[in-house]
Amino acid sequence: ETEYGLGWMLETVPLAGEPTRLASDASRTLLGGSTSFMTFPERGLVVAVTTNISFAATRSIALGIAEVFAAQRKSR
């Protein structure tokens, strides 16, 4: 209900055309870099993105990478 659990952000996102549970960190910017860490437990998929650019769009990059892998698995 709170979308937050034990340090993880919890939500449902569309992935390969299907609603998929996502547990992720809160995408941080620290000392000139940005990170995003996402797990999709139902799909057995984990994506981590790290940059040396402050305020980079790591969340959207990570979701894009997850989409490619989920679509590839779906087509098999």
Side-chain angles (χ1 to χ4, degrees):
E1 290 180 21
T2 65
E3 298 178 356
Y4 184 81
L6 300 175
W8 295 93
M9 299 301 295
L10 307 173
E11 60 187 299
T12 300
V13 296
L15 201 59
E18 299 175 13
T20 305
R21 288 186 312 156
L22 163 62
S24 65
D25 72 347
S27 298
R28 302 284 187 229
T29 298
L30 180 65
L31 300 174
S34 303
T35 64
S36 232
F37 183 78
M38 299 181 170
T39 64
F40 302 87
E42 297 162 345
R43 305 244 183 179
L45 181 62
V46 175
V47 177
V49 175
T50 304
T51 71
N52 61 353
I53 301 169
S54 293
F55 305 104
T58 55
R59 178 180 166 83
S60 61
I61 293 167
L63 284 170
I65 292 168
E67 180 65 34
V68 169
F69 279 94
Q72 184 179 35
R73 276 190 183 167
K74 189 175 183 177
S75 68
R76 289 183 179 178

